[in-house]
Amino acid sequence: MARKRVLTSALVPGMVLASDVITSIGQVLLVKGTTLTDADITRLDFYSVLSVTIEQDEHTPPAPTVPVAQQESESYLEKIKRSQEFQEYKISFAKNSRKFEDECMKMLKNGGAFPAENMLGMVEEMMDKAKEVCGVFDMLHNLRTFDDELFAHSINVALICRTMAGWFGLNREDTDILVICGLLHDVGKIKIPTEILRKPAKLSDEEFEIMKNHTVEGYNIVSKMEGLDDHVRNAVLMHHERCDGSGYPLRIIGDRIDEFAKMVAIADVYEAITAPRVYRKALCPFDAIRIFEEEGMQKYDPRYLLPFLDNVINTYIQNKVVLSNGEQGMVVMVNRNALSRPLVRTENNVYDLRKRKDLRILAIG
């Protein structure tokens, strides 16, 4: 049977591996003969495996081939993951995630004051460590798992909120409030049945109605915590509200939504879109930006969304990307009227994706 080298971004369930997949540090991820599932493909994405060899016959779906130069090159994300600094950050993240979970469960059981100073110190420590290696958004994409835990997601949202506070020019007090909003926004999911919270598939309409209760459950939890700012309580309740009234649980619009809830909503959605799940692959950050561009101006406050998108896109300038035609290139310039479609320079071409509607960015790194 013939073999073919295929981009991970072009894999589909049912393809069969023609050789073992081994990481740069010698870890065997998947063995030869594995029939790929969505979870397998997401795992390959998580470990920044750019391409694999599959068995090719008349029943195998067509996929872009990988240029030889790309097969032999190590991605930017792979280099980060091999670094000692990244390994230390990964250990720190796991430790702090458990620490945050312990504090939340303690609050749920015993009540009392939320340990804001300790939690804010935790976030600042992780911010500093991320900056030492590469940057917060690079760390977010490197530390993905295909079943993100509730508390890991909340820490990621808090880190994004901390970054946004700098972009928005918030003072120290408001920065701390926004970070705590990010940490606690999903605390109500503690009350959601595990079989719904961890379901390895999309939720049914009935299950989604139960999931939506996490906003009210969270509000009830934080209302019993001492020393929290009202913005935190509102953000827990309102982070799924949308400016056009399409959100929940109150279906309120515009100025009736707390300002901090509006900021948390953007961080929460970006983190959720770009994180993989068992039932789907993570979306590329450029796809997330496209979604915000297409529907965000009605649903999110432009005062926060526009500077968020402008700053996020700047973090990907000079970043390596993989295009849908199989070429690997670098983002060299942003189209301000189409942030999700920048200029990309490859070995032989410069593509203006605003004009090349047939091409898109499949992956970063």
mmCIF file of all heavy atoms in Angstrom, residues 58-106:
data_model
loop_
_atom_site.group_PDB
_atom_site.id
_atom_site.type_symbol
_atom_site.label_atom_id
_atom_site.label_comp_id
_atom_site.label_asym_id
_atom_site.label_seq_id
_atom_site.Cartn_x
_atom_site.Cartn_y
_atom_site.Cartn_z
ATOM 1 N N GLU A 58 -7.300 3.935 -2.663
ATOM 2 C CA GLU A 58 -8.340 4.649 -3.410
ATOM 3 C C GLU A 58 -9.448 5.171 -2.503
ATOM 4 O O GLU A 58 -10.239 6.031 -2.902
ATOM 5 C CB GLU A 58 -8.944 3.732 -4.490
ATOM 6 C CG GLU A 58 -9.723 2.534 -3.963
ATOM 7 C CD GLU A 58 -8.821 1.325 -3.691
ATOM 8 O OE1 GLU A 58 -7.571 1.515 -3.679
ATOM 9 O OE2 GLU A 58 -9.350 0.225 -3.503
ATOM 10 N N HIS A 59 -9.512 4.670 -1.277
ATOM 11 C CA HIS A 59 -10.556 5.106 -0.358
ATOM 12 C C HIS A 59 -10.099 6.236 0.572
ATOM 13 O O HIS A 59 -10.904 6.786 1.310
ATOM 14 C CB HIS A 59 -11.028 3.930 0.494
ATOM 15 C CG HIS A 59 -11.544 2.772 -0.309
ATOM 16 N ND1 HIS A 59 -12.664 2.872 -1.109
ATOM 17 C CD2 HIS A 59 -11.070 1.503 -0.437
ATOM 18 C CE1 HIS A 59 -12.875 1.701 -1.695
ATOM 19 N NE2 HIS A 59 -11.928 0.861 -1.319
ATOM 20 N N THR A 60 -8.821 6.567 0.531
ATOM 21 C CA THR A 60 -8.290 7.600 1.425
ATOM 22 C C THR A 60 -8.654 8.979 0.891
ATOM 23 O O THR A 60 -8.392 9.285 -0.275
ATOM 24 C CB THR A 60 -6.755 7.502 1.520
ATOM 25 O OG1 THR A 60 -6.416 6.195 1.975
ATOM 26 C CG2 THR A 60 -6.223 8.537 2.512
ATOM 27 N N PRO A 61 -9.259 9.832 1.714
ATOM 28 C CA PRO A 61 -9.608 11.187 1.261
ATOM 29 C C PRO A 61 -8.368 11.955 0.839
ATOM 30 O O PRO A 61 -7.299 11.802 1.437
ATOM 31 C CB PRO A 61 -10.244 11.824 2.508
ATOM 32 C CG PRO A 61 -10.629 10.683 3.386
ATOM 33 C CD PRO A 61 -9.639 9.603 3.109
ATOM 34 N N PRO A 62 -8.441 12.766 -0.216
ATOM 35 C CA PRO A 62 -7.282 13.557 -0.641
ATOM 36 C C PRO A 62 -6.910 14.590 0.402
ATOM 37 O O PRO A 62 -7.755 15.119 1.107
ATOM 38 C CB PRO A 62 -7.777 14.232 -1.926
ATOM 39 C CG PRO A 62 -9.259 14.277 -1.771
ATOM 40 C CD PRO A 62 -9.637 13.041 -1.022
ATOM 41 N N ALA A 63 -5.609 14.880 0.508
ATOM 42 C CA ALA A 63 -5.123 15.877 1.464
ATOM 43 C C ALA A 63 -3.874 16.519 0.905
ATOM 44 O O ALA A 63 -3.143 15.907 0.127
ATOM 45 C CB ALA A 63 -4.814 15.224 2.810
ATOM 46 N N PRO A 64 -3.583 17.781 1.275
ATOM 47 C CA PRO A 64 -2.386 18.443 0.774
ATOM 48 C C PRO A 64 -1.128 17.716 1.215
ATOM 49 O O PRO A 64 -1.047 17.237 2.342
ATOM 50 C CB PRO A 64 -2.459 19.836 1.435
ATOM 51 C CG PRO A 64 -3.857 19.986 1.913
ATOM 52 C CD PRO A 64 -4.367 18.640 2.165
ATOM 53 N N THR A 65 -0.170 17.590 0.332
ATOM 54 C CA THR A 65 1.111 17.001 0.716
ATOM 55 C C THR A 65 1.985 18.052 1.385
ATOM 56 O O THR A 65 1.748 19.240 1.272
ATOM 57 C CB THR A 65 1.849 16.456 -0.525
ATOM 58 O OG1 THR A 65 1.973 17.521 -1.480
ATOM 59 C CG2 THR A 65 1.067 15.315 -1.143
ATOM 60 N N VAL A 66 3.016 17.591 2.095
ATOM 61 C CA VAL A 66 3.876 18.478 2.858
ATOM 62 C C VAL A 66 5.186 18.698 2.134
ATOM 63 O O VAL A 66 5.857 17.734 1.756
ATOM 64 C CB VAL A 66 4.172 17.868 4.256
ATOM 65 C CG1 VAL A 66 4.964 18.847 5.094
ATOM 66 C CG2 VAL A 66 2.878 17.488 4.941
ATOM 67 N N PRO A 67 5.565 19.934 1.855
ATOM 68 C CA PRO A 67 6.855 20.183 1.230
ATOM 69 C C PRO A 67 7.994 19.578 2.048
ATOM 70 O O PRO A 67 7.928 19.561 3.284
ATOM 71 C CB PRO A 67 6.946 21.713 1.212
ATOM 72 C CG PRO A 67 5.534 22.184 1.319
ATOM 73 C CD PRO A 67 4.827 21.176 2.139
ATOM 74 N N VAL A 68 9.039 19.095 1.360
ATOM 75 C CA VAL A 68 10.166 18.461 2.044
ATOM 76 C C VAL A 68 10.771 19.399 3.077
ATOM 77 O O VAL A 68 11.101 19.004 4.192
ATOM 78 C CB VAL A 68 11.236 18.028 1.014
ATOM 79 C CG1 VAL A 68 12.473 17.519 1.731
ATOM 80 C CG2 VAL A 68 10.660 16.949 0.105
ATOM 81 N N ALA A 69 10.930 20.673 2.710
ATOM 82 C CA ALA A 69 11.538 21.629 3.643
ATOM 83 C C ALA A 69 10.739 21.724 4.930
ATOM 84 O O ALA A 69 11.286 21.835 6.020
ATOM 85 C CB ALA A 69 11.641 23.010 2.989
ATOM 86 N N GLN A 70 9.435 21.646 4.823
ATOM 87 C CA GLN A 70 8.584 21.738 6.005
ATOM 88 C C GLN A 70 8.688 20.467 6.842
ATOM 89 O O GLN A 70 8.671 20.514 8.061
ATOM 90 C CB GLN A 70 7.140 21.971 5.600
ATOM 91 C CG GLN A 70 6.206 22.148 6.789
ATOM 92 C CD GLN A 70 4.807 22.455 6.349
ATOM 93 O OE1 GLN A 70 4.591 23.121 5.343
ATOM 94 N NE2 GLN A 70 3.850 21.973 7.091
ATOM 95 N N GLN A 71 8.805 19.292 6.189
ATOM 96 C CA GLN A 71 8.915 18.046 6.921
ATOM 97 C C GLN A 71 10.156 18.045 7.805
ATOM 98 O O GLN A 71 10.153 17.491 8.901
ATOM 99 C CB GLN A 71 8.992 16.864 5.950
ATOM 100 C CG GLN A 71 7.728 16.647 5.139
ATOM 101 C CD GLN A 71 7.909 15.523 4.147
ATOM 102 O OE1 GLN A 71 8.731 14.625 4.341
ATOM 103 N NE2 GLN A 71 7.160 15.568 3.063
ATOM 104 N N GLU A 72 11.211 18.671 7.352
ATOM 105 C CA GLU A 72 12.476 18.602 8.057
ATOM 106 C C GLU A 72 12.658 19.712 9.075
ATOM 107 O O GLU A 72 13.558 19.670 9.896
ATOM 108 C CB GLU A 72 13.630 18.647 7.042
ATOM 109 C CG GLU A 72 13.626 17.453 6.085
ATOM 110 C CD GLU A 72 14.684 17.587 5.014
ATOM 111 O OE1 GLU A 72 15.256 18.696 4.895
ATOM 112 O OE2 GLU A 72 14.922 16.603 4.298
ATOM 113 N N SER A 73 11.822 20.730 9.041
ATOM 114 C CA SER A 73 12.015 21.859 9.939
ATOM 115 C C SER A 73 11.250 21.659 11.234
ATOM 116 O O SER A 73 10.203 21.038 11.263
ATOM 117 C CB SER A 73 11.547 23.155 9.261
ATOM 118 O OG SER A 73 10.158 23.105 9.044
ATOM 119 N N GLU A 74 11.807 22.186 12.314
ATOM 120 C CA GLU A 74 11.162 22.118 13.611
ATOM 121 C C GLU A 74 10.327 23.373 13.802
ATOM 122 O O GLU A 74 10.787 24.480 13.537
ATOM 123 C CB GLU A 74 12.216 22.015 14.709
ATOM 124 C CG GLU A 74 11.633 21.906 16.098
ATOM 125 C CD GLU A 74 12.712 21.788 17.155
ATOM 126 O OE1 GLU A 74 13.726 22.504 17.048
ATOM 127 O OE2 GLU A 74 12.547 20.994 18.086
ATOM 128 N N SER A 75 9.097 23.202 14.262
ATOM 129 C CA SER A 75 8.225 24.352 14.416
ATOM 130 C C SER A 75 8.640 25.195 15.606
ATOM 131 O O SER A 75 9.302 24.737 16.533
ATOM 132 C CB SER A 75 6.773 23.897 14.587
ATOM 133 O OG SER A 75 6.551 23.411 15.896
ATOM 134 N N TYR A 76 8.180 26.448 15.566
ATOM 135 C CA TYR A 76 8.415 27.375 16.677
ATOM 136 C C TYR A 76 7.844 26.822 17.977
ATOM 137 O O TYR A 76 8.474 26.877 19.031
ATOM 138 C CB TYR A 76 7.772 28.712 16.318
ATOM 139 C CG TYR A 76 7.711 29.734 17.437
ATOM 140 C CD1 TYR A 76 8.871 30.248 17.992
ATOM 141 C CD2 TYR A 76 6.477 30.172 17.914
ATOM 142 C CE1 TYR A 76 8.815 31.194 19.006
ATOM 143 C CE2 TYR A 76 6.412 31.123 18.923
ATOM 144 C CZ TYR A 76 7.577 31.623 19.468
ATOM 145 O OH TYR A 76 7.522 32.546 20.473
ATOM 146 N N LEU A 77 6.630 26.240 17.899
ATOM 147 C CA LEU A 77 6.008 25.701 19.097
ATOM 148 C C LEU A 77 6.777 24.504 19.631
ATOM 149 O O LEU A 77 6.893 24.324 20.841
ATOM 150 C CB LEU A 77 4.562 25.310 18.803
ATOM 151 C CG LEU A 77 3.630 26.433 18.384
ATOM 152 C CD1 LEU A 77 2.205 25.919 18.230
ATOM 153 C CD2 LEU A 77 3.657 27.576 19.383
ATOM 154 N N GLU A 78 7.318 23.683 18.742
ATOM 155 C CA GLU A 78 8.109 22.536 19.187
ATOM 156 C C GLU A 78 9.362 22.996 19.918
ATOM 157 O O GLU A 78 9.771 22.395 20.925
ATOM 158 C CB GLU A 78 8.482 21.663 17.991
ATOM 159 C CG GLU A 78 7.323 20.839 17.453
ATOM 160 C CD GLU A 78 7.678 20.111 16.181
ATOM 161 O OE1 GLU A 78 8.546 20.605 15.435
ATOM 162 O OE2 GLU A 78 7.075 19.057 15.926
ATOM 163 N N LYS A 79 9.988 24.052 19.424
ATOM 164 C CA LYS A 79 11.182 24.580 20.087
ATOM 165 C C LYS A 79 10.855 25.077 21.487
ATOM 166 O O LYS A 79 11.619 24.874 22.426
ATOM 167 C CB LYS A 79 11.792 25.711 19.248
ATOM 168 C CG LYS A 79 12.435 25.238 17.955
ATOM 169 C CD LYS A 79 12.973 26.418 17.154
ATOM 170 C CE LYS A 79 13.590 25.938 15.838
ATOM 171 N NZ LYS A 79 14.071 27.068 15.012
ATOM 172 N N ILE A 80 9.706 25.749 21.606
ATOM 173 C CA ILE A 80 9.284 26.221 22.926
ATOM 174 C C ILE A 80 9.077 25.040 23.861
ATOM 175 O O ILE A 80 9.553 25.031 25.004
ATOM 176 C CB ILE A 80 7.996 27.055 22.823
ATOM 177 C CG1 ILE A 80 8.273 28.381 22.106
ATOM 178 C CG2 ILE A 80 7.414 27.331 24.216
ATOM 179 C CD1 ILE A 80 7.031 29.206 21.860
ATOM 180 N N LYS A 81 8.384 24.029 23.381
ATOM 181 C CA LYS A 81 8.056 22.892 24.237
ATOM 182 C C LYS A 81 9.280 22.114 24.692
ATOM 183 O O LYS A 81 9.260 21.457 25.733
ATOM 184 C CB LYS A 81 7.072 21.965 23.516
ATOM 185 C CG LYS A 81 5.671 22.529 23.434
ATOM 186 C CD LYS A 81 4.720 21.539 22.798
ATOM 187 C CE LYS A 81 3.313 22.089 22.777
ATOM 188 N NZ LYS A 81 2.341 21.152 22.206
ATOM 189 N N ARG A 82 10.341 22.152 23.918
ATOM 190 C CA ARG A 82 11.559 21.444 24.304
ATOM 191 C C ARG A 82 12.391 22.201 25.325
ATOM 192 O O ARG A 82 13.302 21.650 25.923
ATOM 193 C CB ARG A 82 12.418 21.171 23.074
ATOM 194 C CG ARG A 82 11.899 20.061 22.180
ATOM 195 C CD ARG A 82 12.973 19.537 21.237
ATOM 196 N NE ARG A 82 13.562 20.563 20.400
ATOM 197 C CZ ARG A 82 14.763 21.101 20.578
ATOM 198 N NH1 ARG A 82 15.521 20.730 21.598
ATOM 199 N NH2 ARG A 82 15.212 22.025 19.748
ATOM 200 N N SER A 83 12.069 23.473 25.538
ATOM 201 C CA SER A 83 12.899 24.299 26.419
ATOM 202 C C SER A 83 12.678 23.950 27.885
ATOM 203 O O SER A 83 11.592 23.542 28.297
ATOM 204 C CB SER A 83 12.591 25.787 26.195
ATOM 205 O OG SER A 83 11.303 26.113 26.687
ATOM 206 N N GLN A 84 13.727 24.118 28.688
ATOM 207 C CA GLN A 84 13.644 23.882 30.124
ATOM 208 C C GLN A 84 12.659 24.848 30.767
ATOM 209 O O GLN A 84 11.908 24.477 31.672
ATOM 210 C CB GLN A 84 15.027 24.049 30.758
ATOM 211 C CG GLN A 84 15.063 23.830 32.264
ATOM 212 C CD GLN A 84 14.713 22.400 32.653
ATOM 213 O OE1 GLN A 84 14.981 21.465 31.901
ATOM 214 N NE2 GLN A 84 14.105 22.230 33.814
ATOM 215 N N GLU A 85 12.640 26.094 30.266
ATOM 216 C CA GLU A 85 11.737 27.101 30.827
ATOM 217 C C GLU A 85 10.273 26.692 30.664
ATOM 218 O O GLU A 85 9.455 26.877 31.559
ATOM 219 C CB GLU A 85 11.969 28.459 30.156
ATOM 220 C CG GLU A 85 13.305 29.106 30.472
ATOM 221 C CD GLU A 85 14.420 28.598 29.565
ATOM 222 O OE1 GLU A 85 14.144 27.712 28.712
ATOM 223 O OE2 GLU A 85 15.553 29.086 29.708
ATOM 224 N N PHE A 86 9.965 26.117 29.497
ATOM 225 C CA PHE A 86 8.594 25.688 29.273
ATOM 226 C C PHE A 86 8.210 24.543 30.195
ATOM 227 O O PHE A 86 7.096 24.512 30.748
ATOM 228 C CB PHE A 86 8.375 25.259 27.823
ATOM 229 C CG PHE A 86 7.000 24.684 27.576
ATOM 230 C CD1 PHE A 86 5.903 25.519 27.459
ATOM 231 C CD2 PHE A 86 6.809 23.316 27.502
ATOM 232 C CE1 PHE A 86 4.629 24.998 27.268
ATOM 233 C CE2 PHE A 86 5.538 22.789 27.304
ATOM 234 C CZ PHE A 86 4.452 23.632 27.187
ATOM 235 N N GLN A 87 9.111 23.590 30.375
ATOM 236 C CA GLN A 87 8.823 22.473 31.267
ATOM 237 C C GLN A 87 8.562 22.955 32.684
ATOM 238 O O GLN A 87 7.674 22.451 33.378
ATOM 239 C CB GLN A 87 9.982 21.466 31.239
ATOM 240 C CG GLN A 87 10.238 20.836 29.875
ATOM 241 C CD GLN A 87 9.008 20.165 29.286
ATOM 242 O OE1 GLN A 87 8.249 19.510 29.993
ATOM 243 N NE2 GLN A 87 8.808 20.325 27.978
ATOM 244 N N GLU A 88 9.322 23.964 33.114
ATOM 245 C CA GLU A 88 9.114 24.524 34.451
ATOM 246 C C GLU A 88 7.767 25.237 34.530
ATOM 247 O O GLU A 88 7.065 25.151 35.541
ATOM 248 C CB GLU A 88 10.250 25.485 34.792
ATOM 249 C CG GLU A 88 11.591 24.790 34.989
ATOM 250 C CD GLU A 88 12.740 25.777 35.170
ATOM 251 O OE1 GLU A 88 12.478 27.009 35.113
ATOM 252 O OE2 GLU A 88 13.882 25.320 35.372
ATOM 253 N N TYR A 89 7.406 25.949 33.461
ATOM 254 C CA TYR A 89 6.123 26.639 33.430
ATOM 255 C C TYR A 89 4.968 25.630 33.477
ATOM 256 O O TYR A 89 3.969 25.845 34.162
ATOM 257 C CB TYR A 89 6.009 27.492 32.171
ATOM 258 C CG TYR A 89 4.727 28.298 32.092
ATOM 259 C CD1 TYR A 89 4.653 29.571 32.647
ATOM 260 C CD2 TYR A 89 3.584 27.789 31.469
ATOM 261 C CE1 TYR A 89 3.480 30.312 32.582
ATOM 262 C CE2 TYR A 89 2.416 28.519 31.409
ATOM 263 C CZ TYR A 89 2.370 29.787 31.961
ATOM 264 O OH TYR A 89 1.206 30.503 31.908
ATOM 265 N N LYS A 90 5.123 24.531 32.763
ATOM 266 C CA LYS A 90 4.082 23.508 32.723
ATOM 267 C C LYS A 90 3.843 22.931 34.116
ATOM 268 O O LYS A 90 2.688 22.735 34.531
ATOM 269 C CB LYS A 90 4.508 22.405 31.754
ATOM 270 C CG LYS A 90 3.432 21.389 31.435
ATOM 271 C CD LYS A 90 3.932 20.440 30.357
ATOM 272 C CE LYS A 90 2.855 19.420 29.994
ATOM 273 N NZ LYS A 90 3.320 18.510 28.913
ATOM 274 N N ILE A 91 4.924 22.694 34.854
ATOM 275 C CA ILE A 91 4.796 22.181 36.223
ATOM 276 C C ILE A 91 4.127 23.217 37.111
ATOM 277 O O ILE A 91 3.237 22.901 37.910
ATOM 278 C CB ILE A 91 6.189 21.808 36.783
ATOM 279 C CG1 ILE A 91 6.748 20.610 36.014
ATOM 280 C CG2 ILE A 91 6.113 21.507 38.280
ATOM 281 C CD1 ILE A 91 8.198 20.305 36.322
ATOM 282 N N SER A 92 4.525 24.479 36.954
ATOM 283 C CA SER A 92 3.929 25.562 37.728
ATOM 284 C C SER A 92 2.446 25.698 37.438
ATOM 285 O O SER A 92 1.631 25.901 38.355
ATOM 286 C CB SER A 92 4.649 26.881 37.431
ATOM 287 O OG SER A 92 4.006 27.972 38.063
ATOM 288 N N PHE A 93 2.067 25.569 36.170
ATOM 289 C CA PHE A 93 0.658 25.683 35.787
ATOM 290 C C PHE A 93 -0.167 24.590 36.444
ATOM 291 O O PHE A 93 -1.246 24.842 36.989
ATOM 292 C CB PHE A 93 0.518 25.614 34.268
ATOM 293 C CG PHE A 93 -0.874 25.896 33.775
ATOM 294 C CD1 PHE A 93 -1.236 27.168 33.386
ATOM 295 C CD2 PHE A 93 -1.823 24.890 33.703
ATOM 296 C CE1 PHE A 93 -2.519 27.449 32.936
ATOM 297 C CE2 PHE A 93 -3.109 25.144 33.248
ATOM 298 C CZ PHE A 93 -3.456 26.433 32.864
ATOM 299 N N ALA A 94 0.334 23.353 36.400
ATOM 300 C CA ALA A 94 -0.393 22.232 37.003
ATOM 301 C C ALA A 94 -0.535 22.431 38.508
ATOM 302 O O ALA A 94 -1.604 22.192 39.087
ATOM 303 C CB ALA A 94 0.324 20.923 36.700
ATOM 304 N N LYS A 95 0.532 22.884 39.145
ATOM 305 C CA LYS A 95 0.502 23.116 40.597
ATOM 306 C C LYS A 95 -0.511 24.198 40.945
ATOM 307 O O LYS A 95 -1.323 24.039 41.876
ATOM 308 C CB LYS A 95 1.891 23.535 41.080
ATOM 309 C CG LYS A 95 1.975 23.878 42.563
ATOM 310 C CD LYS A 95 3.287 24.576 42.893
ATOM 311 C CE LYS A 95 3.290 25.998 42.328
ATOM 312 N NZ LYS A 95 4.486 26.765 42.721
ATOM 313 N N ASN A 96 -0.499 25.292 40.206
ATOM 314 C CA ASN A 96 -1.405 26.398 40.504
ATOM 315 C C ASN A 96 -2.850 26.058 40.178
ATOM 316 O O ASN A 96 -3.775 26.550 40.840
ATOM 317 C CB ASN A 96 -0.963 27.652 39.751
ATOM 318 C CG ASN A 96 0.264 28.283 40.374
ATOM 319 O OD1 ASN A 96 0.379 28.352 41.598
ATOM 320 N ND2 ASN A 96 1.196 28.745 39.554
ATOM 321 N N SER A 97 -3.059 25.223 39.168
ATOM 322 C CA SER A 97 -4.410 24.790 38.844
ATOM 323 C C SER A 97 -4.999 23.987 40.003
ATOM 324 O O SER A 97 -6.158 24.185 40.391
ATOM 325 C CB SER A 97 -4.411 23.955 37.561
ATOM 326 O OG SER A 97 -5.717 23.539 37.232
ATOM 327 N N ARG A 98 -4.198 23.094 40.569
ATOM 328 C CA ARG A 98 -4.665 22.319 41.723
ATOM 329 C C ARG A 98 -4.893 23.215 42.939
ATOM 330 O O ARG A 98 -5.862 23.041 43.689
ATOM 331 C CB ARG A 98 -3.653 21.218 42.064
ATOM 332 C CG ARG A 98 -3.599 20.086 41.045
ATOM 333 C CD ARG A 98 -2.807 18.901 41.564
ATOM 334 N NE ARG A 98 -1.422 19.251 41.810
ATOM 335 C CZ ARG A 98 -0.460 19.151 40.901
ATOM 336 N NH1 ARG A 98 -0.757 18.729 39.673
ATOM 337 N NH2 ARG A 98 0.779 19.462 41.190
ATOM 338 N N LYS A 99 -4.004 24.187 43.118
ATOM 339 C CA LYS A 99 -4.140 25.125 44.236
ATOM 340 C C LYS A 99 -5.435 25.918 44.115
ATOM 341 O O LYS A 99 -6.171 26.081 45.098
ATOM 342 C CB LYS A 99 -2.938 26.079 44.242
ATOM 343 C CG LYS A 99 -2.987 27.175 45.295
ATOM 344 C CD LYS A 99 -1.757 28.070 45.168
ATOM 345 C CE LYS A 99 -1.817 29.235 46.147
ATOM 346 N NZ LYS A 99 -0.643 30.132 45.990
ATOM 347 N N PHE A 100 -5.740 26.382 42.915
ATOM 348 C CA PHE A 100 -6.965 27.142 42.687
ATOM 349 C C PHE A 100 -8.189 26.264 42.925
ATOM 350 O O PHE A 100 -9.174 26.678 43.547
ATOM 351 C CB PHE A 100 -6.964 27.707 41.267
ATOM 352 C CG PHE A 100 -8.216 28.439 40.892
ATOM 353 C CD1 PHE A 100 -8.720 29.458 41.686
ATOM 354 C CD2 PHE A 100 -8.895 28.116 39.731
ATOM 355 C CE1 PHE A 100 -9.878 30.139 41.338
ATOM 356 C CE2 PHE A 100 -10.057 28.781 39.370
ATOM 357 C CZ PHE A 100 -10.545 29.791 40.190
ATOM 358 N N GLU A 101 -8.150 25.030 42.441
ATOM 359 C CA GLU A 101 -9.262 24.104 42.662
ATOM 360 C C GLU A 101 -9.480 23.872 44.157
ATOM 361 O O GLU A 101 -10.628 23.896 44.636
ATOM 362 C CB GLU A 101 -8.984 22.774 41.965
ATOM 363 C CG GLU A 101 -10.099 21.763 42.153
ATOM 364 C CD GLU A 101 -9.844 20.468 41.394
ATOM 365 O OE1 GLU A 101 -8.781 20.336 40.759
ATOM 366 O OE2 GLU A 101 -10.725 19.579 41.448
ATOM 367 N N ASP A 102 -8.394 23.654 44.894
ATOM 368 C CA ASP A 102 -8.511 23.429 46.336
ATOM 369 C C ASP A 102 -9.164 24.618 47.032
ATOM 370 O O ASP A 102 -10.013 24.452 47.912
ATOM 371 C CB ASP A 102 -7.130 23.165 46.947
ATOM 372 C CG ASP A 102 -6.553 21.814 46.551
ATOM 373 O OD1 ASP A 102 -7.334 20.966 46.070
ATOM 374 O OD2 ASP A 102 -5.333 21.615 46.708
ATOM 375 N N GLU A 103 -8.772 25.824 46.636
ATOM 376 C CA GLU A 103 -9.333 27.028 47.264
ATOM 377 C C GLU A 103 -10.825 27.162 46.961
ATOM 378 O O GLU A 103 -11.619 27.519 47.833
ATOM 379 C CB GLU A 103 -8.585 28.274 46.794
ATOM 380 C CG GLU A 103 -7.151 28.386 47.296
ATOM 381 C CD GLU A 103 -7.074 28.618 48.798
ATOM 382 O OE1 GLU A 103 -8.114 28.904 49.421
ATOM 383 O OE2 GLU A 103 -5.962 28.500 49.346
ATOM 384 N N CYS A 104 -11.203 26.868 45.717
ATOM 385 C CA CYS A 104 -12.624 26.965 45.345
ATOM 386 C C CYS A 104 -13.464 25.952 46.111
ATOM 387 O O CYS A 104 -14.552 26.278 46.606
ATOM 388 C CB CYS A 104 -12.793 26.759 43.841
ATOM 389 S SG CYS A 104 -12.248 28.164 42.843
ATOM 390 N N MET A 105 -12.967 24.723 46.211
ATOM 391 C CA MET A 105 -13.726 23.699 46.926
ATOM 392 C C MET A 105 -13.806 24.024 48.411
ATOM 393 O O MET A 105 -14.828 23.758 49.063
ATOM 394 C CB MET A 105 -13.081 22.328 46.708
ATOM 395 C CG MET A 105 -13.024 21.890 45.248
ATOM 396 S SD MET A 105 -14.595 22.025 44.343
ATOM 397 C CE MET A 105 -15.556 20.769 45.182
ATOM 398 N N LYS A 106 -12.751 24.621 48.944
ATOM 399 C CA LYS A 106 -12.763 25.025 50.345
ATOM 400 C C LYS A 106 -13.803 26.119 50.578
ATOM 401 O O LYS A 106 -14.548 26.107 51.558
ATOM 402 C CB LYS A 106 -11.367 25.523 50.747
ATOM 403 C CG LYS A 106 -11.187 25.745 52.249
ATOM 404 C CD LYS A 106 -9.826 26.375 52.535
ATOM 405 C CE LYS A 106 -8.692 25.537 51.976
ATOM 406 N NZ LYS A 106 -7.373 26.159 52.269
#
